[in-house]
Amino acid sequence: MVCMRIVVVAGGIGGARFLTGVRSAAPGADITAVVNTGDDVTLHGLRICPDLDSVMYTLGDGIDPERGWGRRGESWVVKDELAAYGAEPTWFGLGDRDLATHLVRTRMLDAGYPLSEVTLALAERWQPGVTLLPMSDQRVETHVVVTDPDTGRPQAIHFQEWWIRHRAALDPSAFVQVGVEDARPAPGVVEAFAAADAVLLAPSNPVVSVGTVLGVPGLREALLASPARVVGVSPVVGGAPVRGMADRCLPAIGVEVSAEGVGRHYGARSAGGLLDSWLVHETDVSDVPGVDVRRVPLLMTDPATTQAMAEAALNAARA
Ligand code: FO1
């Protein structure tokens, strides 16, 4: 049979886990992951792409399973040496194994290769079993507007500083995707949506992950032009995100921290929004007008549950 073509819009840790479920739920399918690059950052002279790396390492079985980022069996010698020099930032977890990825990526970018080609080259080693596409080859960086604790004035800090150094403790008043106006979907992204049999929104952060991807000019339009049904998976269970900091981000855009809130935020495709179907956890009640809401177990506690969740999403896409 003609293999199913699935496109998954994903962020980091939750998106990566979900993709392992999609891969095992549809073994023969042609899966494309369109991954958020708004978390990317240049530190110590190196270009770091957290979400692309979380997806690549997770699908390539090199991830540290507890952290959900960086490498299994990691060491931190270079990080300690940098700190010994007082080389800032010392708050960033630069792993020795992870460092090789940043070095190869930075060298290829400096040689003029676009991020999409760099990603393809890195994935050659990891064999993720899906096509990894950055949302864009142009740089887009999420900055968080917070109130400076010293001056009381608003200031924008890089998402990674907000998330890692401040543990998202500083109340965000806005998220700004610096550079997004000049960004375009990476090569292959528009084509993937056009050819898709199913489009899935992974249970990633609706603001800084899925939101950032869909904010790339032309990308949302390409997704909505797809002949495929669009199925979203709620990253919020009960009143809290399954993982990460969606609860710290959603209030900044006036969205309730609930499966219903996020579902309504994404909106019904029939009413100009994104969703044909919305998967919520079995204990959640969600009224999302115009959307086929389905209640399934959404806690990716083990591969079998994650696969079942992906199967439910694909079933909703086939409906
Ligand atoms: N997250 C942390 O909480 N602390 C870290 O020191 C840290 C380092 C890090 C290094 C490379 C990388 O790819 C990801 C890293 N992350 C770290 C996770 C990262 O901040 C988040 O996973 C994403 O940006 C949000 O999805």
Side-chain angles (χ1 to χ4, degrees):
M1 67 141 184
V2 174
C3 72
M4 191 178 182
R5 287 173 296 222
I6 305 166
V7 179
V8 183
V9 173
I13 301 167
R17 291 236 166 98
F18 180 66
L19 276 158
T20 61
V22 176
R23 190 179 55 181
S24 55
D30 170 355
I31 303 169
T32 298
V34 178
V35 182
N36 170 46
T37 57
D39 293 1
D40 295 5
V41 63
T42 298
L43 296 172
H44 302 294
L46 300 171
R47 192 68 181 158
I48 295 158
C49 301
D51 285 1
L52 280 167
D53 289 350
S54 280
V55 173
M56 184 173 72
Y57 290 156
T58 299
L59 292 170
D61 197 23
I63 196 80
D64 177 282
E66 275 65 50
R67 289 196 305 269
W69 57 267
R71 290 287 307 285
R72 179 191 299 121
E74 187 60 282
S75 55
W76 312 93
V77 176
V78 172
K79 179 176 186 289
D80 294 344
E81 288 297 307
L82 286 165
Y85 279 116
E88 288 301 331
T90 51
W91 46 262
F92 187 76
L94 185 70
D96 296 322
R97 293 179 184 273
D98 201 23
L99 184 57
T101 301
H102 311 323
L103 287 167
V104 170
R105 176 180 287 124
T106 302
R107 192 175 63 183
M108 288 186 72
L109 289 172
D110 290 350
Y113 292 96
L115 181 58
S116 46
E117 288 188 32
V118 174
T119 304
L120 214 57
L122 292 169
E124 201 48 44
R125 169 189 171 186
W126 292 99
Q127 295 296 306
V130 311
T131 302
L132 284 190
L133 297 180
M135 68 186 196
S136 174
D137 277 340
Q138 289 76 46
R139 289 189 177 189
V140 178
E141 291 191 6
T142 300
H143 283 60
V144 189
V145 181
V146 296
T147 301
D148 182 311
D150 305 326
T151 66
R153 280 208 308 277
Q155 70 168 89
I157 59 177
H158 191 284
F159 172 80
Q160 293 300 337
E161 181 165 4
W162 179 69
W163 172 232
I164 299 174
R165 183 180 187 189
H166 298 290
R167 301 305 313 154
L170 302 178
D171 288 341
S173 56
F175 292 92
V176 180
Q177 277 70 35
V178 177
V180 73
E181 308 75 31
D182 304 325
R184 294 181 308 286
V189 169
V190 174
E191 295 80 356
F193 284 124
D197 300 304
V199 174
L200 310 181
L201 303 184
S204 297
N205 189 306
V207 182
V208 294
S209 292
V210 174
T212 300
V213 174
L214 294 174
V216 173
L219 199 144
R220 181 190 180 94
E221 293 73 9
L223 180 146
L224 290 174
S226 173
R229 282 170 62 84
V230 178
V231 181
V233 181
S234 177
V236 177
V237 169
V242 177
R243 191 181 173 122
M245 76 320 273
D247 54 325
R248 299 291 295 140
C249 303
L250 288 164
I253 61 166
V255 174
E256 180 189 84
V257 183
S258 67
E260 179 168 296
V262 177
R264 288 174 176 228
H265 168 60
Y266 284 154
R269 191 170 180 181
S270 54
L274 294 165
L275 300 175
D276 291 300
S277 184
W278 181 235
L279 299 194
V280 303
H281 190 54
E282 51 196 352
T283 54
D284 279 324
V285 178
S286 291
D287 172 29
V288 185
V291 175
D292 161 33
V293 178
R294 299 179 178 210
R295 295 162 65 181
V296 299
L298 289 189
L299 298 174
M300 298 184 280
T301 44
D302 55 66
T305 313
T306 306
Q307 177 176 327
M309 179 176 153
E311 279 161 357
L314 292 173
N315 289 339
R318 289 188 196 101

